[in-house]
Amino acid sequence: MNARMLRFHAKTMAALLAGCLVATFSPSAAVAVPGQPEIGAGNPFVDGWYADPDIAVYDDTYWVYPTTSRAYGEQTYLDAFSSTDMVNWTKHSDVLTTEDISWAEYAVWAPAPVERDGKYYLFFAANDIQNNDSLGGIGVAVADKPEGPYSDAIGRPLIGQFHNGAQPIDQDVFIDDDGQAYMYYGGWGHANVVKLNDDMTSLGTFADGSTYKEITPADYVEGSQMFKRDGKYYLMWSEGGWTGPDYSVSYAMSDSPTGPFAKIEKVLAQDPAVAKGSGHNSVVNVPGTDIWYIVYHRRPLSETAGNNRQLAYDRMYFNADGTIEPVTMRVGDNFADGNALGWKTYGGSWSADGGRYRAESSPGGKALLDTNFADFTYDADVKVTSGRGDAGLVFRATRPSVGVDSYTGYYAGISRNGKVVLGRANDSWTQLGSAQLSRSAGPSHHIRISAVGSAIKVYVDDMATPKISVTDATYGSGANGVRVFNTAAAFDNVSVDKAVSGRR
């Protein structure tokens, strides 16, 4: 969001995203485009249940401010996360709490950060008011540093009433190129825009003397987000139910910050292979580039509780006419952040360090992602570090538990002597194929699984010719993961893509 890219100083950002090139930012320097920009290290990018993230760039640092995704009565504080590379994130706890806001009791939602004249403002909603007789709405806090502590700027809600039917929640603040600040907000299916005065703590008026201008596009529910690119204003919002799988993001474009905003299309929605309930987004532009990311929350496939939401981001692409391509929720992990968030282990001993996911030798220890792919291409680097067994990739897996072959699904592995195996597990092992590599190949290999319907192909190092090719229709979909069998191994550069045309 251009107006939020304030004072981004020249510096080198190592490992901006997985497989990226090193880029040096300066006011006039061209910035190298990351080689694989869709995933920073892996989603979720921070630990814990969070939602409604908004992102800003202050000096040389990205800052994400989310809602704490808990029951209403426990939503009494806000945390923040900072990063200089969008890979390694530092948590800043309790940057704002209800103890700092005399009128706020609970349901502290959707913080919106912005900097002006050396002061850092955090707009937020509190108390989830249901009518004009209740105390609550949108407030504003201020601090001298991005991490706070923030204090109540005016001692009361900035917007504490319903106007044009809009519940005062889910605010986003945008400063245009001319310095005019706007706030976009609203729940209950209505969206308003207001002007903020230069003090950022009071509302201005439009040319017609009004304060609240309704801009509700079709299917709007909540979660306003504004950014500007190439002179066009983009309003994004969430639609559907926040606890359901239909939660999603749509957008509109306009030549004016106040609209009109006519819905163009939905750009982010659930993917039954990756995650559900994806929505309430923000947008960030890497300064000095035309690289954009959508930052949002989503619910893992196996989670059913409404508040079990995690933070993610993915690359956002534009068409030649400025419209936004549908966003693909990518699945991948290069472990550059030194953690294995999103992975669940079943037996064995696992750790993420040195940019790899490491497993000690065990009789069948496995780690799985919460995915449910049917037809896909699955890539990973596998380094067998010791032992006489093999290590490799699990796919279309269900019913996982601790045990040598305690899952249903497939496994393709490789040993230190270059033997490749493919088999089917169902609390027992059925080998489907094998092949022998040259002993000079070494302990590190790139493995690719291509699975389309009953056709399963295993590639090792050479991505042109499969080492094993079989037909087996026993299992049609399930989770992706990694596994060791009586050997120790390290895994890196994991990625899963649907077996259809698209960006890799």
Side-chain angles (χ1 to χ4, degrees), residues 273 330-332 369 371 373-380 393-396 446-453 455-459 463 480-481 493-504:
R330 296 293 184 187
V331 175
L369 291 166
T371 56
F373 280 91
D375 297 344
F376 58 86
T377 301
Y378 179 16
D379 286 87
L393 312 185
V394 175
F395 54 100
R396 290 181 177 171
H446 183 83
I447 298 179
R448 172 175 294 171
I449 308 297
S450 172
V452 179
I456 301 173
K457 298 178 181 180
V458 181
Y459 299 81
M463 298 297 108
N480 301 85
N493 297 320
V494 173
S495 67
V496 190
D497 285 295
K498 291 182 178 178
V500 294
S501 60
R503 223 179 284 271
R504 285 191 52 77

Side-chain angles (χ1 to χ4, degrees), residues 165-404:
Q167 185 188 28
I169 62 168
D170 288 4
Q171 60 292 320
D172 181 54
V173 176
F174 165 77
I175 301 178
D176 206 351
D177 298 334
D178 62 1
Q180 177 62 59
Y182 299 88
M183 183 164 67
Y184 302 79
Y185 77 93
W188 288 17
H190 293 274
N192 287 335
V193 59
V194 297
K195 283 186 173 182
L196 290 170
N197 292 323
D198 289 345
D199 61 11
M200 303 299 284
T201 60
S202 61
L203 303 182
T205 57
F206 294 101
D208 62 2
S210 64
T211 301
Y212 302 90
K213 179 178 176 62
E214 183 166 11
I215 54 169
T216 307
D219 301 322
Y220 177 93
V221 173
E222 60 194 15
S224 301
Q225 169 72 191
M226 168 60 65
F227 70 94
K228 188 177 184 180
R229 177 182 180 270
D230 289 346
K232 294 290 185 180
Y233 298 87
Y234 293 76
L235 179 69
M236 305 183 85
W237 64 90
S238 295
E239 52 190 62
W242 71 272
T243 60
D246 60 338
Y247 205 53
S248 53
V249 175
S250 293
Y251 81 104
M253 296 170 62
S254 178
D255 293 326
S256 166
T258 59
F261 294 104
K263 178 178 176 177
I264 295 176
E265 66 177 335
K266 187 177 293 187
V267 293
L268 177 66
Q270 76 156 337
D271 184 334
V274 180
K276 53 192 174 182
S278 52
H280 202 123
N281 74 290
S282 56
V283 171
V284 67
N285 170 226
V286 177
T289 77
D290 195 31
I291 298 172
W292 296 77
Y293 295 93
I294 182 169
V295 185
Y296 60 97
H297 72 244
R298 66 194 198 189
R299 188 173 294 106
L301 294 176
S302 63
E303 298 292 339
T304 57
N307 282 311
N308 288 5
R309 297 172 289 179
Q310 298 174 319
L311 302 187
Y313 68 85
D314 284 291
R315 182 75 181 267
M316 192 169 72
Y317 294 93
F318 295 84
N319 298 307
D321 62 359
T323 55
I324 305 172
E325 294 184 13
V327 173
T328 298
M329 290 192 289
R330 296 293 184 187
V331 175
D333 207 334
N334 68 2
F335 308 104
D337 52 7
N339 65 54
L341 298 177
W343 293 83
K344 186 173 182 179
T345 62
Y346 303 85
S349 179
W350 299 81
S351 63
D353 64 82
R356 292 184 175 183
Y357 196 25
R358 302 178 187 276
E360 295 182 9
S361 180
S362 68
K366 51 192 170 291
L368 300 181
L369 291 166
D370 195 353
T371 56
N372 189 30
F373 280 91
D375 297 344
F376 58 86
T377 301
Y378 179 16
D379 286 87
D381 295 332
V382 180
K383 183 176 183 180
V384 181
T385 55
S386 68
R388 302 179 63 181
D390 47 67
L393 312 185
V394 175
F395 54 100
R396 290 181 177 171
T398 59
R399 298 195 301 104
S401 62
V402 176
V404 178

Side-chain angles (χ1 to χ4, degrees), residues 404-426:
V404 178
D405 297 309
S406 297
Y407 64 100
T408 60
Y410 301 95
Y411 165 75
I414 189 167
S415 65
R416 285 176 65 85
N417 66 9
K419 183 179 180 180
V420 184
V421 296
L422 170 66
R424 185 177 67 231
N426 184 9

